[in-house]
């Protein structure tokens, strides 16, 4: 969504500066038409001195650039960039992309993060929420007033880039989990269900697609993921920049997440490509699921429930897979077009009247 938003802002005549750590996407951002400012930031670090240093860096960048409007997209930036931006009298819009473990885990670091949210989010001019549950949570906790809390349809999906693709031919049925390789994404449950399915039905292939997040303590190591391919029969495909050809070669995309999602991008991508999906009734995931219409719902943390859903896909005739895939496509066309998300941003920015 961010790249589509940046392109739209540049087209509208806004001067866009992206403040983020230097990585492999930096040149792509510059090619879109924005300016890059390097920001030293440890996304997963918990050292308060490091976070204070990052906040000071942001303050100096904003003081030099004098931005009219600052858009934030990650939990840390929603906190620290809000402080730095408001100290420089900027208009702030924060995107709440999901509550993750900050609001579900009971630990000292999570308690501190929640306290920082409580102190900083009232300073923002608008908060954009990807699902109604997160919005209501913030309202109940008095992190934001209702008139400043807007709902957007997830991160949205570019329907021109992600076009419906035909279901693969052949007798082998291929399942794919697309996510960061975190335990809360249901990766362990998927591997166990896949192992059972492959024992019962030999012509099944199950794969994992996504990066191993070494900075996250719940991440599954790349070494273990590779061993699963040898001992469990579940292929780890690594991470890719373009998921379209990988999803296109599979029949069904699975995300048995019990993570506090916004709206999972992998499900939006799969649905846009006209694939049946399997996911849980968890917050965010349920927004892309119409049970037994565009796929099957499973219970969080339940290998038995996930196995049953995957077996239903396997036993479905090809015409039924096509029907479910088209239902997925129609769902995202109706609810998750990225132009609706960008339209919300542009409407707010035009009301501010500064570029």
């Amino acid at each position: 969504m961010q790249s589509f938003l940046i392109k739209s802002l540049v087209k509208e005549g806004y001067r866009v500066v992206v403040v983020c750590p230097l990585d492999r996407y930096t040149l792509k951002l510059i090619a879109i038409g924005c300016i890059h400012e390097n920001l030293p930031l440890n996304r997963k670090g918990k050292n308060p001195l490091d976070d204070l240093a990052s906040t000071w860096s942001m303050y100096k960048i904003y003081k030099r650039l004098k931005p009219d409007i600052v858009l934030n997209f990650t939990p840390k930036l929603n906190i620290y960039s809000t402080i730095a931006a408001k100290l420089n009298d900027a208009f702030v819009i924060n995107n709440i992309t999901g509550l993750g473990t900050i609001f579900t885990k009971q630990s000292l670091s999570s308690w501190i993060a929640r306290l920082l949210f409580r102190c900083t989010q009232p300073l923002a001019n608008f908060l954009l929420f990807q699902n109604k549950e997160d919005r209501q949570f913030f309202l109940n906790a008095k992190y934001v007033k209702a008139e400043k809390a807007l709902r957007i349809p997830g991160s949205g999906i570019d329907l021109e880039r992600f076009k419906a693709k035909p279901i693969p031919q052949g007798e082998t049925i291929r399942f794919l989990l697309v996510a960061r390789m975190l335990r809360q994404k249901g990766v362990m449950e998927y591997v166990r269900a896949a192992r059972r399915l492959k024992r019962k039905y030999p012509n099944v292939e199950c794969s994992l697609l996504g990066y191993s997040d070494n900075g996250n303590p719940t991440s599954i190591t790349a070494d273990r993921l590779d061993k699963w391919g040898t001992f469990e029969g579940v292929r780890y495909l690594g991470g890719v920049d373009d998921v379209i050809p990988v999803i296109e070669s599979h029949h069904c995309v699975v995300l048995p997440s019990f993570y506090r999602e916004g709206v999972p991008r992998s499900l939006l991508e799969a649905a846009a490509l006209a694939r049946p999906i399997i996911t849980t009734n968890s917050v965010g995931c349920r927004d892309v699921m119409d049970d037994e219409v565009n796929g099957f719902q499973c219970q969080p943390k339940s290998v038995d429930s996930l196995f049953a859903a995957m077996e239903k896909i396997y036993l479905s005739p090809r015409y039924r897979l096509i029907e479910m895939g088209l239902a997925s496509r129609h769902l995202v066309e109706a609810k998750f077009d990225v132009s609706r998300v960008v339209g919300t941003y542009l409407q707010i920015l035009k009301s501010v009247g500064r570029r």
Side-chain angles (χ1 to χ4, degrees):
M1 185 270 284
Q2 285 92 329
S3 63
F4 195 95
L5 176 60
I6 290 170
K7 290 177 183 177
S8 299
L9 293 175
V10 171
K11 186 177 179 180
E12 289 287 325
Y14 290 93
R15 180 175 179 266
V16 181
V17 180
V18 177
V19 180
C20 65
L22 186 67
D23 60 22
R24 67 181 186 278
Y25 294 111
T26 301
L27 290 178
K28 295 181 180 180
L29 293 172
I30 295 172
I32 290 173
C34 69
I35 301 167
H36 176 255
E37 283 279 346
N38 188 46
L39 173 67
L41 177 71
N42 186 344
R43 183 169 59 90
K44 294 295 182 181
K46 298 180 181 179
N47 187 324
L49 294 179
D50 289 343
D51 291 340
L52 185 61
S54 295
T55 305
W56 176 243
S57 296
M58 283 183 276
Y59 171 79
K60 290 190 294 182
I61 291 171
Y62 297 158
K63 186 175 180 63
R64 172 167 50 84
L65 296 178
K66 296 180 172 57
D68 295 312
I69 304 162
V70 173
L71 314 179
N72 298 314
F73 291 95
T74 65
K76 272 201 172 186
L77 294 178
N78 285 340
I79 293 172
Y80 300 120
S81 177
T82 295
I83 296 172
K86 296 312 288 187
L87 287 174
N88 283 283
D89 195 31
F91 191 94
V92 175
I93 304 173
N94 289 341
N95 190 316
I96 308 300
T97 57
L99 302 189
T101 58
I102 292 175
F103 293 90
T104 57
K105 186 177 179 181
Q106 299 303 316
S107 66
L108 178 60
S109 60
S110 294
W111 181 85
I112 292 172
R114 290 193 292 269
L115 178 62
L116 289 171
F117 264 92
R118 180 182 295 276
C119 294
T120 58
Q121 297 317 283
L123 300 175
N125 297 89
F126 283 100
L127 268 63
L128 306 185
F129 295 89
Q130 297 194 3
N131 60 65
K132 62 182 180 181
E133 291 87 353
D134 289 354
R135 181 179 183 273
Q136 193 59 51
F137 182 95
F138 269 57
L139 291 175
N140 292 344
K142 301 188 186 305
Y143 290 174
V144 63
K145 294 181 179 179
E147 61 270 20
K148 291 185 175 183
L150 305 181
R151 171 85 185 277
I152 57 174
S155 59
I157 190 74
D158 183 354
L159 296 173
E160 288 300 312
R161 180 177 172 226
F162 288 82
K163 295 181 180 292
K165 302 291 184 179
I167 296 289
Q169 299 277 0
E171 294 184 0
T172 299
I173 302 299
R174 300 181 181 89
F175 293 87
L176 179 68
L177 184 150
V178 185
R180 285 183 296 152
M181 295 295 108
L182 306 179
R183 294 179 187 276
Q184 302 100 313
K185 298 287 186 176
V187 175
M188 305 294 290
E189 288 78 7
Y190 173 75
V191 170
R192 291 171 184 144
R195 180 174 55 196
R196 286 173 56 180
L197 194 69
K198 286 173 66 64
R199 285 176 179 170
K200 190 171 182 180
Y201 305 104
N203 57 335
V204 166
E205 292 181 4
C206 299
S207 302
L208 295 159
L209 179 70
Y211 291 100
S212 178
D213 190 348
N214 295 326
N216 192 308
T218 67
S219 180
I220 300 166
T221 65
D223 181 60
R224 186 173 188 182
L225 291 165
D226 289 333
K227 287 181 180 178
W228 279 342
T230 303
F231 299 106
E232 306 290 351
V234 178
R235 294 187 304 159
Y236 175 50
L237 305 178
V240 296
D241 289 338
D242 184 7
V243 300
I244 293 176
V246 185
I247 295 176
E248 185 179 358
S249 66
H250 289 75
H251 295 76
C252 176
V253 169
V254 184
L255 185 66
S257 175
F258 48 93
Y259 189 77
R260 187 68 186 253
E261 306 277 358
V263 174
R265 179 154 187 86
S266 62
L267 295 182
L268 295 180
E269 292 169 340
L273 293 169
R275 289 296 177 269
I277 62 174
I278 295 173
T279 192
T280 61
N281 192 35
S282 300
V283 171
C285 295
R286 66 172 72 107
D287 291 356
V288 197
M289 165 56 65
D290 190 354
D291 192 22
E292 299 190 3
V293 176
N294 72 318
F296 299 104
Q297 201 169 82
C298 63
Q299 296 302 313
K301 302 182 182 181
S302 172
V303 176
D304 289 343
S305 177
L306 177 57
F307 168 80
M310 294 174 72
E311 186 176 45
K312 287 179 183 177
I313 289 289
Y314 176 81
L315 295 175
S316 296
R318 189 170 186 275
Y319 79 85
R320 182 73 180 107
L321 297 180
I322 294 172
E323 288 178 348
M324 288 189 283
L326 291 176
S328 286
R329 175 71 187 189
H330 294 155
L331 186 148
V332 294
E333 286 177 342
K335 296 173 59 177
F336 294 103
D337 191 333
V338 71
S339 62
R340 295 178 60 189
V341 180
V342 172
T344 300
Y345 274 99
L346 292 177
Q347 186 177 2
I348 295 172
L349 298 183
K350 287 175 181 177
S351 71
V352 178
R354 293 180 286 180
R355 300 196 178 197

